Amino acid sequence: HNQTSHRRTSAIMSAGAASEGSRALLAVYKRLLRSCATYPSKNRWGIYESIREEFRDNKHLDPNDPQTKEKIGIAYKGLEQLRMYDEAILGGGAGDNPNWSVTLEQNPLPKR
């Protein structure tokens, strides 16, 4: 009886952690799409659709799996890169502020 209770508690805790991970993924997904919509590129909507497709293709993955965590890290890195070009962020909250700068990493998304 004690083992069954422990297993049930573990399953509930795992489901809660997965749910929390899913909420975090949904939040980064929405932020990526919003940032992409203001990205200054002719290919902005192609990037937007690529993000949607990547998330759609990987929606079944376990957020706690190491490979999934790596993909999530790449998503956050991509978000950082997109947000570097967000005029409101660059201008300190004012899109018409001409004083802004961009700092690029040498190797932001290393190839495998």
Side-chain angles (χ1 to χ4, degrees), residues 12-28:
I12 291 169
M13 289 174 59
S14 294
S19 175
E20 189 175 310
S22 296
R23 278 195 297 274
L25 275 176
L26 182 59
V28 75

mmCIF file of all heavy atoms in Angstrom, residues 12-28:
data_model
loop_
_atom_site.group_PDB
_atom_site.id
_atom_site.type_symbol
_atom_site.label_atom_id
_atom_site.label_comp_id
_atom_site.label_asym_id
_atom_site.label_seq_id
_atom_site.Cartn_x
_atom_site.Cartn_y
_atom_site.Cartn_z
ATOM 1 N N ILE A 12 1.970 12.160 -9.790
ATOM 2 C CA ILE A 12 1.334 13.475 -9.696
ATOM 3 C C ILE A 12 2.392 14.567 -9.746
ATOM 4 O O ILE A 12 2.239 15.568 -10.440
ATOM 5 C CB ILE A 12 0.482 13.587 -8.417
ATOM 6 C CG1 ILE A 12 -0.736 12.668 -8.536
ATOM 7 C CG2 ILE A 12 0.045 15.022 -8.161
ATOM 8 C CD1 ILE A 12 -1.506 12.479 -7.250
ATOM 9 N N MET A 13 3.497 14.375 -9.022
ATOM 10 C CA MET A 13 4.574 15.368 -9.029
ATOM 11 C C MET A 13 5.190 15.476 -10.421
ATOM 12 O O MET A 13 5.465 16.568 -10.890
ATOM 13 C CB MET A 13 5.633 15.017 -7.982
ATOM 14 C CG MET A 13 5.141 15.222 -6.562
ATOM 15 S SD MET A 13 6.302 14.644 -5.313
ATOM 16 C CE MET A 13 7.733 15.616 -5.658
ATOM 17 N N SER A 14 5.377 14.348 -11.108
ATOM 18 C CA SER A 14 5.920 14.364 -12.461
ATOM 19 C C SER A 14 4.978 15.089 -13.402
ATOM 20 O O SER A 14 5.399 15.864 -14.246
ATOM 21 C CB SER A 14 6.167 12.948 -12.975
ATOM 22 O OG SER A 14 7.180 12.336 -12.216
ATOM 23 N N ALA A 15 3.680 14.839 -13.266
ATOM 24 C CA ALA A 15 2.693 15.513 -14.116
ATOM 25 C C ALA A 15 2.714 17.010 -13.845
ATOM 26 O O ALA A 15 2.631 17.814 -14.772
ATOM 27 C CB ALA A 15 1.302 14.950 -13.861
ATOM 28 N N GLY A 16 2.870 17.389 -12.585
ATOM 29 C CA GLY A 16 2.963 18.818 -12.241
ATOM 30 C C GLY A 16 4.192 19.451 -12.831
ATOM 31 O O GLY A 16 4.141 20.555 -13.369
ATOM 32 N N ALA A 17 5.319 18.754 -12.775
ATOM 33 C CA ALA A 17 6.562 19.274 -13.351
ATOM 34 C C ALA A 17 6.437 19.377 -14.865
ATOM 35 O O ALA A 17 6.868 20.345 -15.478
ATOM 36 C CB ALA A 17 7.738 18.375 -12.974
ATOM 37 N N ALA A 18 5.814 18.372 -15.492
ATOM 38 C CA ALA A 18 5.621 18.409 -16.944
ATOM 39 C C ALA A 18 4.697 19.559 -17.312
ATOM 40 O O ALA A 18 4.924 20.257 -18.294
ATOM 41 C CB ALA A 18 5.060 17.079 -17.430
ATOM 42 N N SER A 19 3.662 19.765 -16.508
ATOM 43 C CA SER A 19 2.725 20.852 -16.759
ATOM 44 C C SER A 19 3.427 22.197 -16.635
ATOM 45 O O SER A 19 3.230 23.092 -17.445
ATOM 46 C CB SER A 19 1.564 20.765 -15.771
ATOM 47 O OG SER A 19 0.714 21.860 -15.923
ATOM 48 N N GLU A 20 4.266 22.331 -15.616
ATOM 49 C CA GLU A 20 5.035 23.561 -15.427
ATOM 50 C C GLU A 20 5.981 23.769 -16.604
ATOM 51 O O GLU A 20 6.102 24.866 -17.123
ATOM 52 C CB GLU A 20 5.817 23.472 -14.115
ATOM 53 C CG GLU A 20 6.476 24.763 -13.702
ATOM 54 C CD GLU A 20 7.121 24.639 -12.341
ATOM 55 O OE1 GLU A 20 6.454 24.174 -11.407
ATOM 56 O OE2 GLU A 20 8.305 25.009 -12.232
ATOM 57 N N GLY A 21 6.623 22.690 -17.050
ATOM 58 C CA GLY A 21 7.510 22.766 -18.207
ATOM 59 C C GLY A 21 6.745 23.132 -19.462
ATOM 60 O O GLY A 21 7.218 23.912 -20.286
ATOM 61 N N SER A 22 5.541 22.599 -19.600
ATOM 62 C CA SER A 22 4.702 22.911 -20.755
ATOM 63 C C SER A 22 4.295 24.378 -20.763
ATOM 64 O O SER A 22 4.277 25.017 -21.808
ATOM 65 C CB SER A 22 3.454 22.036 -20.765
ATOM 66 O OG SER A 22 3.815 20.685 -20.913
ATOM 67 N N ARG A 23 3.977 24.908 -19.582
ATOM 68 C CA ARG A 23 3.617 26.334 -19.495
ATOM 69 C C ARG A 23 4.801 27.206 -19.881
ATOM 70 O O ARG A 23 4.645 28.200 -20.578
ATOM 71 C CB ARG A 23 3.134 26.682 -18.089
ATOM 72 C CG ARG A 23 1.684 26.321 -17.850
ATOM 73 C CD ARG A 23 1.142 26.990 -16.600
ATOM 74 N NE ARG A 23 1.811 26.576 -15.382
ATOM 75 C CZ ARG A 23 1.490 25.500 -14.668
ATOM 76 N NH1 ARG A 23 0.513 24.729 -15.059
ATOM 77 N NH2 ARG A 23 2.140 25.209 -13.574
ATOM 78 N N ALA A 24 5.994 26.827 -19.429
ATOM 79 C CA ALA A 24 7.194 27.595 -19.765
ATOM 80 C C ALA A 24 7.464 27.534 -21.268
ATOM 81 O O ALA A 24 7.838 28.532 -21.878
ATOM 82 C CB ALA A 24 8.395 27.078 -18.977
ATOM 83 N N LEU A 25 7.263 26.359 -21.859
ATOM 84 C CA LEU A 25 7.448 26.217 -23.301
ATOM 85 C C LEU A 25 6.449 27.055 -24.079
ATOM 86 O O LEU A 25 6.801 27.702 -25.072
ATOM 87 C CB LEU A 25 7.294 24.749 -23.717
ATOM 88 C CG LEU A 25 8.527 23.894 -23.588
ATOM 89 C CD1 LEU A 25 8.198 22.450 -23.936
ATOM 90 C CD2 LEU A 25 9.628 24.401 -24.463
ATOM 91 N N LEU A 26 5.207 27.048 -23.633
ATOM 92 C CA LEU A 26 4.193 27.854 -24.297
ATOM 93 C C LEU A 26 4.552 29.339 -24.209
ATOM 94 O O LEU A 26 4.416 30.079 -25.183
ATOM 95 C CB LEU A 26 2.819 27.598 -23.679
ATOM 96 C CG LEU A 26 1.651 28.348 -24.299
ATOM 97 C CD1 LEU A 26 1.506 28.013 -25.781
ATOM 98 C CD2 LEU A 26 0.367 28.037 -23.553
ATOM 99 N N ALA A 27 5.059 29.760 -23.065
ATOM 100 C CA ALA A 27 5.451 31.166 -22.887
ATOM 101 C C ALA A 27 6.595 31.535 -23.828
ATOM 102 O O ALA A 27 6.552 32.590 -24.476
ATOM 103 C CB ALA A 27 5.842 31.429 -21.434
ATOM 104 N N VAL A 28 7.630 30.681 -23.938
ATOM 105 C CA VAL A 28 8.753 31.002 -24.826
ATOM 106 C C VAL A 28 8.297 30.959 -26.285
ATOM 107 O O VAL A 28 8.727 31.768 -27.109
ATOM 108 C CB VAL A 28 9.991 30.111 -24.581
ATOM 109 C CG1 VAL A 28 9.825 28.722 -25.124
ATOM 110 C CG2 VAL A 28 11.233 30.741 -25.176
#
